[in-house]
Amino acid sequence: MDAAMEDAAAPGSEWDRGSGGAEAVLGLAGAGASLSVCYHEAFGPHADLILLEAGDDLLPDLLQGRVTVRGRPEEEAVLCTPSATYAMKFVGTSNSMFLIPPGEAVAASLRPDHTNEDATVASAAAASIIKVAPGSIELVRTAPRLDKLRSLLRERPYVLDEDLGDGSEDKQGLYTWQDLCVLVQSSDSELLEGLNSLSAVEIDGFWRTVDVGSVNTVLDMILHNSVLHDWLLNALPENAVLSVMEADGFTHKIVAHCLSRFGTKVEQEAGSCWKLDERLVCLQFARRALAAGKMKLNNFMDKWERSIPSGMRADLQMLEGEVLYERLGAETWVHAFSVADLPLTPAERFAALFRERPRWEWKDLQPFIRDLRVPGASSEGLLIKYARRTQPSADSDPIFTAR
């Protein structure tokens, strides 16, 4: 039964006035059973009624008020539970769906035109119809719409030594958690995951990304101090790092953020330590090396290897989903092309990929689509939907082009 119907039929609801017969309808004994129906005396327009069809797994959240409808006037609304997002689709029906309030079956009431039912029908007990529903809203699990989150946070990234000021004009382009819940069509859990994936941090009540130059400066200082103070990169003492960095003028919040961005916290008897992740640190230096544009692969590798911290090793496998290679004559060139900058919706993602390169080999394409998450659709299904696969020969690699 629809959740809206169950709510309307609940004892103590506004329709529980002893003049309906929902119990009689629910008690019909199988095929062939019948019950007379008539119009309730309060029968009227049904434009104010929308039925919501919900599965049993959603009922606890619905009945406990743990759902919200999110979206701006120009957007298609979504329904969000604490952990999932659902598209809301109205499904019309050619059959009439009657809403019958609870109560004892009564003699037939007036027609909608306020004329009496005929005497034959009026003599029989009947269930009275209070509303007629033209259809219902169907809920379909969908991916959170996080492209907007990325766009909002890029409006004003945090910069070192930033002074926000006290005026409201100084807060433009800044968003609190409450702001993001209103503006982004996502459940709270998925929204938090999206913030984490963007390496966002809450500063003075506003969720921010940190400017690339600022991140590089903080990372460089952590690495510089590790040399000065003989800290191991796989065991940076948290309290010592924070103390030294704050003495150098860096805020506790930003230093802690960078430690968590590039490392993993390890609890030891002597206190908390941070183990820097070799891939994440090396990747950051690779992005710096490629900031100037396309480079010959040999030149890039030389520049990259000379820039990374002592003891770490550069490996091209670290760059999957971050760069593209191009063969020009006898030389291989490389340029930055990050999956983090691509759209999150499958149609827009594939369109962007085929604009960059009309033909893709699977080994090149896979790193740029493996993060796509669409409920009810596999990566193979998305590939079939948005790309055409060709294979010139049985022993050659397949090629993918736009469908």
Side-chain angles (χ1 to χ4, degrees), residues 34 70 126 156 159 217 226 246-247 275 293 309 314 322 350 354 366:
S34 64
R70 293 180 176 173
R156 194 170 168 185
V159 180
T217 299
S226 72
E246 287 185 80
K275 178 182 179 181
E322 295 291 335
F350 278 93
F354 289 122
Q366 195 264 348

Side-chain angles (χ1 to χ4, degrees), residues 138-363:
E138 185 180 70
L139 300 177
V140 180
R141 182 73 186 269
T142 188
R145 298 168 185 178
L146 296 177
D147 274 324
K148 189 173 184 179
L149 174 65
R150 185 162 61 186
S151 176
L152 291 172
L153 295 187
R154 285 180 175 176
E155 289 180 17
R156 194 170 168 185
Y158 174 83
V159 180
L160 291 176
D161 301 323
E162 177 182 86
D163 182 9
L164 285 182
D166 298 323
S168 59
E169 66 277 3
D170 297 319
K171 305 298 189 295
Q172 290 184 356
L174 302 180
Y175 302 96
T176 65
W177 172 262
Q178 290 74 21
D179 294 332
L180 295 175
C181 287
V182 171
L183 294 170
V184 180
Q185 294 179 290
S186 168
S187 69
D188 289 357
S189 175
E190 291 165 324
L191 179 57
L192 188 58
E193 288 179 11
L195 289 167
N196 290 334
S197 71
L198 294 171
S199 298
V201 57
E202 190 176 20
I203 303 172
D204 297 327
F206 299 101
W207 281 92
R208 318 279 299 275
T209 55
V210 181
D211 170 72
V212 173
S214 298
V215 170
N216 288 336
T217 299
V218 176
L219 178 60
D220 285 345
M221 285 302 298
I222 291 175
L223 295 172
H224 176 68
N225 281 314
S226 72
V227 175
L228 290 180
H229 298 279
D230 292 323
W231 296 333
L232 298 176
L233 296 184
N234 62 358
L236 295 173
E238 181 179 60
N239 290 336
V241 172
L242 292 173
S243 177
V244 169
M245 292 292 288
E246 287 185 80
D248 288 336
F250 297 94
T251 66
H252 181 286
K253 173 76 75 170
I254 296 303
V255 176
H257 169 69
C258 285
L259 286 172
S260 65
R261 180 167 175 168
F262 295 105
T264 303
K265 193 170 187 176
V266 179
E267 297 295 343
Q268 298 181 351
E269 289 186 8
S272 299
C273 291
W274 286 88
K275 178 182 179 181
L276 293 187
D277 186 297
E278 184 178 52
R279 175 187 173 276
L280 294 177
V281 173
C282 288
L283 179 56
Q284 191 70 12
F285 282 94
R287 290 172 177 149
R288 275 196 243 185
L290 290 171
K294 185 183 296 186
M295 299 177 64
K296 290 182 180 180
L297 181 58
N298 289 339
N299 294 342
F300 162 70
M301 287 299 300
D302 181 60
K303 184 176 181 180
W304 185 25
E305 289 173 341
R306 284 189 287 106
S307 68
I308 61 176
S310 175
M312 290 190 175
R313 186 176 64 87
D315 188 330
L316 287 177
Q317 289 186 347
M318 295 174 173
L319 305 183
E320 279 196 351
E322 295 291 335
V323 301
L324 283 178
Y325 303 99
E326 184 178 1
R327 189 79 175 176
L328 296 176
E331 297 282 358
T332 298
W333 292 69
V334 59
H335 70 275
F337 187 76
S338 177
V339 66
D341 296 324
L342 295 174
L344 297 176
T345 56
E348 294 178 1
R349 170 73 63 87
F350 278 93
L353 290 170
F354 289 122
R355 281 195 301 270
E356 174 67 22
R357 181 182 287 183
R359 295 164 55 85
W360 288 80
E361 293 184 8
W362 172 243
K363 64 180 177 59

